[in-house]
Amino acid sequence: KNQVEQSPQSLIILEGKNCTLQCNYTVSPFSNLRWYKQDTGRGPVSLTIMTFSENTKSNGRYTATLDADTKQSSLHITASQLSDSASYICVVRGGYNKLIFGAGTRLAVHP
Amino acid sequence: SQTIHQWPATLVQPVGSPLSLECTVEGTSNPNLYWYRQAAGRGLQLLFYSVGIGQISSEVPQNLSASRPQDRQFILSSKKLLLSDSGFYLCAWSGWDQNEKLFFGSGTQLSVL
């Protein structure tokens, strides 16, 4: 069954600290994996996309990794800011262009 | 630049009443359009998608329907709302490349009482 599992479900960190969010998937075939950021009460916004051949990609303070062999991805946030408080959603595109969404990790950055 | 508008932002409706949520896209033509529902603590669930005017595909059987009367207009409807229809509804569009991202609207929080 095609599934995307994210961990932790929620996370609280202090401003300025780093954190890493995990995404494990069982989607096959695999086309790409995208991380979205969703502010409370808003629609998700894409942060980065990882294709099969990419291992690491950075977007400012966000760095995504992909291990296609173990079917794992991570999103690392460096020097967190209050504005990073949001839900982070991992989405995997599989066969027939089908998108499978993770339930998200809710991140709270406290001052 | 492309923009997506979704309204209303919040809606409180009694059980059994009709529903109409509207979504419009500007700055692009022939987009793929989507309606998603997001339940608390769960991933987004695809309800409908459309690849063109009048072409609607339903992902899950439910109390809702969708229509695409114009290229950049997508409407989510119900004749009689159920309590279980409560949730956060998101409209989205994308291009045709498989690597293209989804662009989401700002969402509608629907409460059925």
Side-chain angles (χ1 to χ4, degrees):
Chain A
K1 182 180 179 182
N2 289 328
Q3 285 185 316
V4 175
E5 301 286 342
Q6 290 188 245
S7 62
Q9 187 174 23
S10 61
L11 182 63
I12 300 173
I13 62 174
L14 293 177
E15 187 178 13
K17 298 297 185 182
N18 304 334
C19 66
T20 301
L21 314 180
Q22 298 289 343
C23 174
N24 297 339
Y25 61 93
T26 59
V27 178
S28 182
F30 172 86
S31 290
N32 58 56
L33 182 150
R34 193 180 285 275
W35 284 93
Y36 286 84
K37 177 186 179 187
Q38 184 177 20
D39 293 318
T40 300
R42 309 291 294 177
V45 175
S46 175
L47 292 174
T48 188
I49 181 174
M50 305 295 290
T51 57
F52 188 85
S53 59
E54 296 174 306
N55 299 118
T56 303
K57 184 180 286 185
S58 292
N59 176 8
R61 295 180 295 102
Y62 299 103
T63 299
T65 66
L66 176 67
D67 185 333
D69 292 330
T70 62
K71 297 188 176 181
Q72 295 179 326
S73 176
S74 67
L75 181 69
H76 185 75
I77 304 175
T78 303
S80 60
Q81 300 176 359
L82 298 179
S83 59
D84 292 331
S85 295
S87 289
Y88 292 84
I89 302 171
C90 175
V91 184
V92 178
R93 186 181 291 274
Y96 303 104
N97 268 336
K98 190 173 181 67
L99 293 176
I100 299 94
F101 287 77
T105 292
R106 186 182 296 274
L107 173 66
V109 180
H110 289 183
Chain B
S1 64
Q2 303 93 352
T3 57
I4 178 168
H5 303 279
Q6 182 182 344
W7 68 93
T10 59
L11 189 61
V12 180
Q13 292 284 92
V15 170
S17 63
L19 172 74
S20 180
L21 303 182
E22 190 162 342
C23 173
T24 60
V25 180
E26 297 177 356
T28 187
S29 56
N30 198 26
N32 294 317
L33 295 173
Y34 310 83
W35 278 110
Y36 286 92
R37 178 166 56 202
Q38 187 175 35
R42 301 184 66 179
L44 272 71
Q45 179 188 34
L46 179 63
L47 302 176
F48 301 96
Y49 70 92
S50 171
V51 299
I53 296 174
Q55 301 179 61
I56 309 295
S57 296
S58 174
E59 285 294 296
V60 293
Q62 58 205 305
N63 184 42
L64 303 168
S65 62
S67 62
R68 185 172 177 173
Q70 300 180 48
D71 181 46
R72 289 167 288 177
Q73 183 184 27
F74 206 23
I75 298 172
L76 183 68
S77 304
S78 174
K79 293 182 179 179
K80 287 186 178 182
L81 284 169
L82 306 172
L83 288 174
S84 57
D85 292 324
S86 295
F88 190 56
Y89 289 83
L90 286 160
C91 178
W93 77 270
S94 74
W96 289 86
D97 187 286
Q98 69 169 6
N99 285 339
E100 287 208 37
K101 68 185 78 170
L102 288 170
F103 294 89
F104 286 88
S106 53
T108 297
Q109 184 64 53
L110 172 66
S111 298
V112 182
L113 305 178

